[in-house]
């Protein structure tokens, strides 16, 4: 269905996430389609949400899902996009690797709950954006108070200075916002974080790039 819509409307689609069966394993997978409807990339959620807070909540994704092994960055007609799913947004190293590989935009489909959503959903998006001086977009399910898992909602677009460019509430909605990649360059020129990092004291190692050299 997403492939057909992408082809008919001539748009790039980052298609949320769905369960993907591969052999005897099940992954939480996000598919990216180009304007011809072709599957450009698949991101399998790397970080599984396993928590156990006595008396409050137990949620063990690893009982059902297998963790993905590969960061996913894809070149599209609308720029180079790094993909994460939900819990992946909490791990700044993944975002840093995407930034180092030249991403303009990070997309995180996700469904934070009513506890973590109000405190962390926007905070994490703004942190990933401002740390890496790029755009961050998220898409959450609308809130269904009668569901077994109640999502916070608030799909959002964040700019490279940590500014909120567009945001929904918790109901079903469509938001349209413009992204100007030249603003990234301006922010990076004015605040040259990448040049000022102390590579002599600390480094983030991109295993995949290391192995391909």
């Amino acid at each position: 269905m997403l492939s057909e819509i992408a082809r008919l409307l001539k748009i790039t689609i980052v298609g949320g996430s769905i369960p993907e069966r591969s052999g005897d394993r099940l992954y939480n997978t996000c598919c990216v389609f180009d304007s011809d409807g072709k599957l450009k990339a698949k991101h399998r959620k790397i970080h599984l949400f396993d928590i156990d807070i006595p008396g409050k909540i137990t949620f063990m994704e690893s009982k059902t899902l297998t963790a993905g092994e590969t960061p996913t960055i894809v070149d599209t007609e609308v720029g180079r996009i790094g993909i994460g799913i939900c819990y992946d947004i909490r791990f700044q190293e993944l975002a840093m690797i995407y930034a180092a590989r030249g991403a303009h935009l990070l997309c995180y489909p996700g469904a934070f709950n009513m506890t973590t959503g109000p405190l962390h959903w926007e905070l994490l998006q703004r942190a990933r954006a401002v740390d890496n001086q790029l755009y961050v977009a998220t898409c959450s399910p609308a809130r269904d108070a009668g569901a077994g898992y109640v999502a916070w909602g608030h799909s959002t677009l964040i700019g490279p200075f940590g500014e909120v460019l567009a945001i929904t509430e918790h109901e079903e909605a469509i938001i349209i916002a413009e992204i100007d990649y030249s603003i990234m360059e301006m922010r990076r020129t004015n605040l040259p974080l990448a040049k000022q990092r102390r590579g002599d004291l600390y480094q983030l190692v991109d295993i995949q790039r290391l192995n391909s050299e």
Side-chain angles (χ1 to χ4, degrees):
M1 181 270 287
L2 291 176
S3 169
E4 184 70 4
I5 290 172
R7 185 183 65 80
L8 287 173
L9 299 181
K10 298 295 179 188
I11 56 174
T12 297
I13 293 181
V14 179
S17 74
I18 56 169
E20 177 207 7
R21 188 174 295 283
S22 180
D24 60 350
R25 294 182 174 181
L26 199 63
Y27 297 93
N28 187 352
T29 300
C30 174
C31 297
V32 181
F33 298 92
D34 68 13
S35 56
D36 293 325
K38 293 177 183 173
L39 181 64
K40 290 279 288 183
K42 278 195 308 190
H43 176 74
R44 291 170 169 172
K45 186 178 183 184
I46 292 173
H47 303 94
L48 298 184
F49 186 50
D50 284 0
I51 61 166
D52 185 8
I53 303 173
K56 290 190 176 181
I57 183 173
T58 299
F59 201 96
M60 303 293 288
E61 280 192 327
S62 62
K63 286 186 176 180
T64 305
L65 299 170
T66 299
E69 298 292 335
T70 310
T72 306
I73 194 161
V74 54
D75 286 311
T76 75
E77 293 178 355
V78 290
R80 182 170 288 185
I81 303 175
I83 307 293
I85 296 174
C86 205
Y87 200 46
D88 285 339
I89 199 173
R90 289 192 178 272
F91 298 88
Q92 67 267 39
E93 296 85 354
L94 181 61
M96 290 173 71
I97 284 172
Y98 288 154
R101 293 186 190 178
H104 303 101
L105 169 69
L106 307 184
C107 284
Y108 296 95
F112 273 38
N113 60 38
M114 296 299 292
T115 301
T116 58
L119 284 173
H120 295 162
W121 180 237
E122 184 181 308
L123 173 70
L124 287 165
Q125 296 176 65
R126 296 181 70 192
R128 299 296 82 85
V130 79
D131 283 350
N132 298 289
Q133 298 175 303
L134 41 63
Y135 288 87
V136 171
T138 58
C139 187
S140 167
R143 191 181 307 165
D144 178 358
Y149 182 95
V150 182
W152 169 240
H154 294 84
S155 300
T156 310
L157 175 68
I158 307 291
F161 209 52
E163 68 274 36
V164 178
L165 297 175
I167 188 166
T168 69
E169 295 297 325
H170 60 270
E171 303 94 350
E172 286 187 24
I174 295 171
I175 50 174
I176 298 172
E178 197 165 297
I179 291 176
D180 181 353
Y181 292 138
S182 70
I183 292 175
M184 286 172 50
E185 299 312 312
M186 180 191 76
R187 295 301 185 195
R188 291 174 177 183
T189 299
N190 293 347
L191 193 63
L193 299 180
K195 294 177 182 175
Q196 294 171 341
R197 284 201 173 98
R198 289 292 303 275
D200 56 325
L201 299 180
Y202 51 81
Q203 294 182 18
L204 179 70
V205 178
D206 185 339
I207 302 298
Q208 187 169 309
R209 290 172 73 190
L210 197 65
N211 291 340
S212 64
E213 290 175 358

